[in-house]
Amino acid sequence: MKEKIKMSNLDLSGSKKRKRNDQRVFKFKTFGEQGFPTEFIECNFEQNVKLLLEFAQQEENGDHAMAIWSFQLEVHRHPPMHIFLFVVEEPVELSLNPHCKHCQYIGWGNHLICNKKYHFLLPSKDTVAACLRYDNQGAGSNQNTYNTNGGAVVGEIRSKSSNLIELEGHIMHGVFHSNGFGHLLCINGLETGSDLPGHSIMDFWDRLCIGLRARKVSLRDISQKKGMDLRLLNTVAYGEPWFGHWGYRFGRGSFGVTQETYQSAINAIQNMPLALLAHHINNHEILTVLSRYQMLSGHTLVTLCDTFHFMLELKSRIPKESNLSSCYPGLLVDNTCRWSPKRVEMAIRVVVEALKRAESRWISRQEVRDAARAYIGDTGLLDFVLKSLGNHIVGKYLVRRCLNPVTKVLEYCLEDISKAFPKHDQGFWVNDSKGNQQYKITWVQLMKDIYFLYKNILKEIKGMPNYTGIFAAIPTTSRIILDAKYFLKEYKGESDSRIEVDKSKIYCAIMLVTKNGFGVEEKVMTPFECFILRKDVTFDELMIEVERTFGNIYWGLRNFAIRSINNLSPIIGTELFFNVMKPGNKIVLGGVMSNIDHNNIGIFEGIKDNIVVDCLCGTKDEDGERMVCCDICEVWQHTRCVNIPNQEAIPDIFLCSKCEQDILQFPSLP
């Protein structure tokens, strides 16, 4: 059973040396923009992190604990709502796992391990509770709480930073390596109980990445809603996943899916002809749902893309509260009502006309009642209608009702929702050929219809058990789209015009020189870093700065020594650099590592355990999916590809098909 979180009587006893109320408050909606709270600089991710943390409240931590900072963010002032952003610095020496599986899965396993990771977290009430939960002996009445309306307790979190970054269920959790590559690990919006919608959290994350000058950021999209995989639903409707709105594109596919096959699958399923599909489907319910939205759209829906695009756009416009009410006045009257439907309908029209005259302003219940009294003398009837009309649809209007947080008085407002149906003046009603009202579309009904079509067309076509012709592509393309989970965005910082005139930029990368069984191998190991140098800098000064910078970023380059620059030979250390190289050039500095001591775990993000992946689907590297190892050849393959369902345990002894065939060819014993 989940622990309940108190939302009042905030206990700040954990913060003994200062008052939490002294912490500066920043605007959530602008945090991360240039100047909010700091002036970010070009081409230097780690320096931007340091500039940002100068405005944070650094929390006291115990010995050998990870450093942690916090920002108090105001989401909105009325009603008051604040959340906390925590930044945890994870040095490689304190990391439980120096390797990064997220780098491995997106294809960055050949990156060098960085000295630090920076975790940016918006904790949820549940994750804070889990982090602060005492053991049975230590629990007491002084337990700290988390309050999104007033603040957050960080007194105990400061000594539990490792617990905080290991927990799942945060509102947002993103991590950056010190070289600017990062991963968005999770966001949890309103559907999971958060006080923030998903798009607001993504806007916040995107601002952070842009402001800090992140290089590339990956994410694993496994988001679902109402039992539907959003990466399939949104891709059919819009040609990209939900995260595509922020510029995230295909990064890496599982089960051997490439970008070409992924894009081909999107084109095939989006352009599936609706008329041809409807002609071959022998399922009356599917045809009914398709025809419903065909009529409602006001224009011809030609493809599957057209249908799902229209339905999702409709969902974003229909008020969610509309499922609580009806737009037909007669439905407001039940058998116990003492007024006739005709009188109720007349009273509704009077109230709506009174709200129309208010011209979309919020007016009090008493003002509406007084305006309607000129036409309706029965005050009991007026009270009944005003009570029943809250968040109801009448014609093309939505009658909104809410309690004013300041005056504590009920207020009403009329909202024209006809824009959601530009070619239908009947609001959410669909008429038959004789003009009779047949049914209305509520938010709940729309969601049911979206799920119904998702399940019975995108996942499995009901009424067409034998897939033939173009319809055979639907289950295949759906599977390919679902197998593309890893998405990537490349962030490019804008040029900074504030660089001093006597400085110029160059871009440097490191090439390691190593010896193997075949001789000497030279390989560029790092992305290019931007260096802003004086005009009179020498080669010696440049090499010292490059060694220092890359040593601060990468764990494996702490003892790196430069031996060559762009194969220039010989290097005259005292010679001016810009007498030989031009500003803006990219140069590669080669060298060797000395005094190597990396605790036998290697220097790369990917784990090198001599694991051999050779799956039937073509995968040659780990992609985060469930795998099984052959007990003879020790080659790893996907359990799905060898027909082991996810719900089944991996057998004690497993042989791949190749080894099975080899065994069958052994001569039988006499």
Side-chain angles (χ1 to χ4, degrees):
M1 182 176 178
K2 290 186 177 180
E3 182 174 343
K4 300 293 183 181
I5 311 300
K6 291 177 62 180
M7 299 302 290
S8 58
N9 301 323
L10 191 64
D11 179 9
L12 299 177
S13 58
S15 302
K16 297 180 180 180
K17 294 190 176 182
R18 57 172 174 75
K19 294 182 179 180
R20 170 58 49 185
N21 293 336
D22 292 341
Q23 185 169 3
R24 184 176 172 183
V25 180
F26 302 95
K27 298 288 186 181
F28 175 80
K29 292 183 179 179
T30 58
F31 191 86
E33 293 181 358
Q34 187 69 301
F36 298 93
T38 187
E39 296 290 335
F40 298 104
I41 62 176
E42 183 190 12
C43 300
N44 196 323
F45 167 79
E46 195 159 20
Q47 183 62 31
N48 282 324
V49 173
K50 293 177 181 178
L51 289 173
L52 179 67
L53 295 180
E54 288 179 1
F55 292 82
Q57 176 69 57
Q58 183 166 10
E59 307 300 334
E60 297 179 12
N61 53 8
D63 294 338
H64 309 296
M66 299 178 190
I68 184 169
W69 294 262
S70 65
F71 294 89
Q72 187 175 5
L73 306 177
E74 180 186 78
V75 179
H76 44 71
R77 186 171 297 178
H78 301 295
M81 177 181 171
H82 294 77
I83 61 174
F84 272 79
L85 169 68
F86 290 97
V87 183
V88 180
E89 181 185 85
E90 180 185 3
V92 65
E93 294 86 356
L94 298 181
S95 179
L96 297 176
N97 186 0
H99 301 280
C100 178
K101 63 180 181 181
H102 308 291
C103 283
Q104 177 80 33
Y105 298 155
I106 194 61
W108 301 340
N110 59 343
H111 285 198
L112 294 174
I113 294 175
C114 290
N115 285 320
K116 296 177 183 177
K117 299 176 187 174
Y118 295 96
H119 295 263
F120 286 74
L121 303 114
L122 297 176
S124 65
K125 294 182 284 293
D126 287 341
T127 54
V128 169
C131 186
L132 301 183
R133 190 175 293 124
Y134 293 130
D135 57 24
N136 294 333
Q137 291 78 19
S141 59
N142 250 352
Q143 182 166 344
N144 294 316
T145 61
Y146 179 86
N147 186 343
T148 56
N149 291 323
V153 168
V154 294
E156 289 296 326
I157 290 179
R158 64 191 180 208
S159 61
K160 299 178 181 291
S161 53
S162 60
N163 295 340
L164 189 64
I165 64 177
E166 292 295 325
L167 289 172
E168 297 181 355
H170 296 293
I171 295 174
M172 186 202 80
H173 184 182
V175 59
F176 294 104
H177 300 281
S178 52
N179 62 356
F181 287 77
H183 315 280
L184 177 58
L185 304 185
C186 77
I187 64 166
N188 289 295
L190 299 175
E191 293 290 325
T192 57
S194 166
D195 294 316
L196 294 172
H199 64 85
S200 295
I201 304 171
M202 274 303 299
D203 287 342
F204 176 78
W205 170 253
D206 204 47
R207 288 196 303 272
L208 275 178
C209 294
I210 294 172
L212 294 174
R213 302 302 193 267
R215 292 178 183 271
K216 295 181 181 180
V217 176
S218 76
L219 60 86
R220 182 171 182 251
D221 183 5
I222 53 173
S223 54
Q224 291 190 334
K225 186 172 185 178
K226 307 293 184 182
M228 297 178 286
D229 291 287
L230 291 184
R231 67 183 180 282
L232 174 58
L233 182 64
N234 277 67
T235 300
V236 173
Y238 300 106
E240 61 184 16
W242 182 75
F243 293 99
H245 178 75
W246 290 270
Y248 285 83
R249 301 290 181 259
F250 178 90
R252 195 184 193 192
S254 302
F255 300 103
V257 173
T258 64
Q259 185 168 6
E260 291 74 20
T261 56
Y262 174 68
Q263 191 58 52
S264 297
I266 294 175
N267 296 336
I269 199 168
Q270 278 194 310
N271 296 319
M272 192 66 62
L274 203 61
L276 194 59
L277 187 67
H279 179 73
H280 286 84
I281 290 179
N282 186 23
N283 186 306
H284 178 72
E285 194 171 358
I286 292 179
L287 297 177
T288 300
V289 174
L290 291 175
S291 62
R292 177 182 303 165
Y293 293 94
Q294 189 72 261
M295 288 189 295
L296 190 60
S297 68
H299 60 274
T300 303
L301 302 177
V302 179
T303 63
L304 274 182
C305 172
D306 295 338
T307 302
F308 282 99
H309 184 275
F310 174 74
M311 295 175 79
L312 292 186
E313 287 295 304
L314 196 59
K315 181 181 75 72
S316 66
R317 295 189 178 103
I318 292 182
K320 198 170 183 178
E321 300 87 351
S322 65
N323 66 297
L324 303 175
S325 61
S326 167
C327 58
Y328 181 56
L331 294 180
L332 294 175
V333 185
D334 56 26
N335 294 331
T336 61
C337 181
R338 60 190 177 95
W339 294 280
S340 67
K342 186 176 181 179
R343 292 191 65 191
V344 172
E345 181 179 354
M346 181 179 66
I348 288 175
R349 289 179 177 176
V350 169
V351 170
V352 170
E353 288 300 320
L355 291 172
K356 282 183 183 180
R357 292 192 291 272
E359 298 179 348
S360 301
R361 289 185 300 106
W362 286 91
I363 58 176
S364 68
R365 178 185 180 278
Q366 189 61 44
E367 290 180 77
V368 181
R369 191 174 186 269
D370 291 343
R373 277 291 305 276
Y375 305 93
I376 304 295
D378 190 339
T379 56
L381 174 59
L382 282 177
D383 292 338
F384 170 80
V385 169
L386 288 171
K387 179 181 178 181
S388 305
L389 267 183
N391 296 324
H392 274 63
I393 299 171
V394 180
K396 65 176 184 178
Y397 296 101
L398 172 66
V399 182
R400 290 198 174 276
R401 180 181 65 184
C402 76
L403 186 69
N404 188 302
V406 178
T407 64
K408 306 300 180 183
V409 172
L410 277 176
E411 293 183 343
Y412 289 78
C413 180
L414 203 64
E415 180 180 343
D416 186 348
I417 55 176
S418 61
K419 293 180 180 179
F421 303 89
K423 299 193 177 183
H424 292 274
D425 293 331
Q426 299 296 324
F428 297 111
W429 287 88
V430 178
N431 300 339
D432 62 14
S433 58
K434 297 181 180 180
N436 298 322
Q437 292 175 339
Q438 295 296 301
Y439 46 78
K440 70 167 184 139
I441 303 299
T442 64
W443 190 89
V444 169
Q445 181 62 50
L446 177 59
M447 288 303 300
K448 288 180 179 178
D449 289 342
I450 292 175
Y451 176 75
F452 178 80
L453 294 183
Y454 171 89
K455 180 181 178 183
N456 294 297
I457 293 183
L458 299 184
K459 298 291 285 185
E460 179 183 358
I461 300 183
K462 296 292 185 180
M464 189 184 293
N466 299 319
Y467 299 109
T468 58
I470 63 172
F471 304 115
I474 293 180
T476 303
T477 53
S478 294
R479 186 71 265 169
I480 291 173
I481 293 171
L482 288 173
D483 286 341
K485 301 176 183 177
Y486 296 98
F487 296 90
L488 182 67
K489 179 174 180 179
E490 183 171 355
Y491 287 87
K492 297 180 179 178
E494 297 179 359
S495 59
D496 195 333
S497 59
R498 291 163 296 178
I499 297 175
E500 296 179 22
V501 177
D502 64 337
K503 294 184 178 181
S504 295
K505 291 185 294 183
I506 62 166
Y507 300 88
C508 300
I510 294 298
M511 178 177 66
L512 289 181
V513 181
T514 57
K515 294 182 179 180
N516 53 34
F518 303 98
V520 177
E521 180 183 11
E522 295 181 345
K523 185 178 180 181
V524 177
M525 306 300 296
T526 68
F528 284 90
E529 292 287 338
C530 178
F531 289 81
I532 303 174
L533 307 173
R534 305 186 317 272
K535 291 289 187 180
D536 59 348
V537 70
T538 65
F539 276 97
D540 278 344
E541 292 172 324
L542 172 65
M543 289 190 292
I544 292 173
E545 179 64 18
V546 170
E547 289 175 352
R548 184 192 67 80
T549 299
F550 280 94
N552 288 338
I553 296 175
Y554 297 102
W555 188 44
L557 299 181
R558 289 180 174 179
N559 297 311
F560 176 76
I562 296 175
R563 295 289 184 264
S564 65
I565 300 179
N566 267 22
N567 295 322
L568 294 177
S569 180
I571 297 176
I572 302 174
T574 57
E575 186 172 356
L576 295 181
F577 176 81
F578 287 113
N579 286 346
V580 179
M581 306 295 294
K582 294 181 179 180
N585 277 3
K586 290 185 175 181
I587 64 173
V588 178
L589 299 97
V592 296
M593 294 183 295
S594 59
N595 301 323
I596 301 176
D597 181 15
H598 299 121
N599 300 323
N600 298 319
I601 65 172
I603 62 173
F604 299 98
E605 292 288 6
I607 301 175
K608 302 297 182 182
D609 288 336
N610 297 320
I611 292 176
V612 177
V613 177
D614 188 8
C615 189
L616 301 174
C617 65
T619 298
K620 302 295 183 183
D621 201 358
E622 286 187 82
D623 57 6
E625 302 298 334
R626 189 171 180 243
M627 287 187 171
V628 61
C629 179
C630 176
D631 287 292
I632 293 180
C633 66
E634 297 184 345
V635 169
W636 290 80
Q637 295 177 311
H638 294 121
T639 54
R640 191 181 91 182
C641 296
V642 295
N643 299 317
I644 301 176
N646 284 335
Q647 61 270 22
E648 289 187 10
I650 294 176
D652 295 332
I653 298 177
F654 170 76
L655 302 181
C656 67
S657 58
K658 181 179 182 300
C659 290
E660 279 186 342
Q661 292 298 320
D662 291 343
I663 291 175
L664 291 175
Q665 293 176 7
F666 287 168
S668 58
L669 296 175

